[in-house]
Amino acid sequence: MDAQPSLTDYRVEVSGWDVAESFFVEKATLELNLEGERIIHVRHPLRIGSMVFLRLIDTRVAFPALPVDYQVTGVSGGDPEGVSRVTLRRLGHRRSE
């Protein structure tokens, strides 16, 4: 896998429906690299175009963060342990241009 230098990493809980249309919840690291890409590495196989929800896991906060919706824009094949590199694009509310 071509790893770009990471700007920031956040621990997140990823949830959504995998390629078998089974709901899953998995912990992962959300990487924000210098090119502005949002990347996660997950065990559940995902399709390009599918929606996933990421919830920040921060033990310093007394209340849980709300999930944020993302669309899968790229999936790189799994490694020998079955982990895929997934690039994401934020959905949700957009500002008008």
Side-chain angles (χ1 to χ4, degrees), residues 41-87:
H41 294 89
V42 293
R43 293 186 184 281
H44 288 83
L46 299 174
R47 282 191 182 99
I48 293 174
S50 63
M51 183 188 305
V52 293
F53 299 92
L54 274 58
R55 186 178 66 82
L56 181 64
I57 301 170
D58 189 343
T59 57
R60 299 169 290 172
V61 178
F63 54 90
L66 296 175
V68 177
D69 52 344
Y70 286 87
Q71 183 175 31
V72 175
T73 58
V75 178
S76 298
D79 66 12
E81 295 177 8
V83 177
S84 297
R85 178 183 187 271
V86 177
T87 55

Side-chain angles (χ1 to χ4, degrees), residues 77-96:
D79 66 12
E81 295 177 8
V83 177
S84 297
R85 178 183 187 271
V86 177
T87 55
L88 304 169
R89 176 177 61 90
R90 174 77 165 86
L91 292 173
H93 297 71
R94 302 193 207 305
R95 294 185 298 186
S96 59

